[in-house]
Amino acid sequence: MSSQSRAATIRGAVIGASVVVAAGAGVSALATIYARKVVTPDAERPDDVEVLAVGAGTVTLRATPETIAGGRYGLWFDGGAGHARLGEVIDHDEQARTVTRRLLGVDGGRLGEGPARWNQYFYAGTPAAVGLPFEEVPVPTDLGDMPAWFVPPAARVPPRDAWAILVHGRGATREECLRALPVLHRLGFPALVVSYRNDPGAPRSLGGRYHLGDAEWQDVEAALLLAAERGAAEVVLLGWSMGGAIVLQLVTRSWAADRVRAVVLDAPVLDWRHVLDHHARLHRLPDAVGRLAQAVLQHRSARRLLGVDAPLSLDRMDWVTRAAELHVPLLILHSDDDEFVPAEPSRRLAQARPDVVTYVPSRGARHTKEWNVDPDSWDSAVARFLLEL
């Protein structure tokens, strides 16, 4: 080989290696961005719905997958200052891309045309929105007092010795739990609707990042201890989405876990790897990016790269693999068409542990909207499960 040929070969090898290195660096950077997004609370919640017309008992909206969904939902408007409750779909004009829904009530403000934000909780505000008395209660933690609502049981029902503790999901607020309060109230359960670190209005962790349940469970443990101080012999834990991941960490890591009588989970995250893979595909990220993001979340450099207080343990939050370690009765309600937290891990856990898991599948509810689509069925499933304990 001539010196010129050798030089060309070397140049080609160097260029090829540079491309590989650059591609690898790009994958690493993208994986870090993805992992950081997963653990970073949203700074704001922008309007995502357009109100086109308000009629006599109706609202017409721009059609989206959310606004055409069956069930009943809420609508924030005027930057969150106003709120309305919407019922069933009356008309869906696919050609015009509009949907008209029943207007069930306006809780505040003046509803008119313009931008708004969809509220899957249906209710907004405090437990007063569901007609229940409540008390603002601070839950003392190592980070400071976490705001909570205490809702006493119905006066006409003998109070139970177990309290219900309700835990919302990632990016949600305590309002997510309001839907469950009426049935718990009727059953005689005192209820504590809690917040956790990095919630709006709650103390921040050192880095101000989510830990996907790996740290937040300590704030729910503090709520459990407060309930015990106020007379709760045991507790029932209810968790939505990431709230499910949080309460299951408490069940297996808290020294007070023996006070947990049962757990109710709505669309829970039972395996973060499965969820992260799903969202990587949704965002059309290469498989290598999704897998590397999971490694970044668990690496010792996660503190520096992501701002978390400590590396996360995805193994510790994989309840399909750890199914044998669960020993409290679990009720899982999960829609087969959940677009955000796929139901497969819930099905697999139910199949692995039919002795402790009561599984209630549904269809058409998407993520954490099982109550919205069929509130009577949701209430009945929860009531039946709790009354059989």
Side-chain angles (χ1 to χ4, degrees), residues 241 266-268 278-279 282 333-344 347 362-370:
S241 193
D266 188 315
H278 172 70
H279 281 270
L282 282 181
L333 304 105
H334 211 148
S335 181
D336 291 338
D337 60 350
D338 191 322
E339 83 288 5
F340 200 82
V341 177
E344 182 184 344
R347 289 193 294 268
S362 59
R363 184 147 196 89
R366 306 180 79 206
H367 185 54
T368 64
K369 303 179 184 71
E370 291 84 0

Side-chain angles (χ1 to χ4, degrees), residues 125-146:
T126 69
V130 293
L132 297 178
F134 71 99
E135 173 190 351
E136 296 278 2
V137 177
V139 176
T141 75
D142 291 343
L143 295 177
D145 288 346
M146 299 288 170

Side-chain angles (χ1 to χ4, degrees), residues 137-221:
V137 177
V139 176
T141 75
D142 291 343
L143 295 177
D145 288 346
M146 299 288 170
W149 295 319
F150 171 71
V151 180
R156 65 182 182 278
V157 181
R160 297 178 179 273
D161 60 356
W163 283 29
I165 297 179
L166 293 73
V167 186
H168 66 79
R170 180 193 181 282
T173 68
R174 285 179 286 166
E175 292 168 303
E176 183 169 45
C177 307
L178 292 175
R179 297 167 288 182
L181 288 175
V183 66
L184 297 170
H185 186 73
R186 292 193 299 270
L187 292 174
F189 285 95
L192 200 57
V193 185
V194 303
S195 54
Y196 47 82
R197 59 194 65 191
N198 304 311
D199 274 352
R204 283 168 48 93
S205 62
L206 182 63
R209 299 290 195 267
Y210 291 126
H211 287 67
L212 308 184
D214 211 14
E216 292 84 354
W217 68 270
Q218 298 170 78
D219 304 328
V220 182
E221 178 189 67

Side-chain angles (χ1 to χ4, degrees), residues 252 318-328 349 352-353 355-356:
T252 51
D318 177 358
W319 292 105
V320 176
T321 300
R322 298 182 63 191
E325 300 176 42
L326 295 171
H327 301 293
V328 297
L349 178 58
R353 294 299 308 276
D355 55 323
V356 297

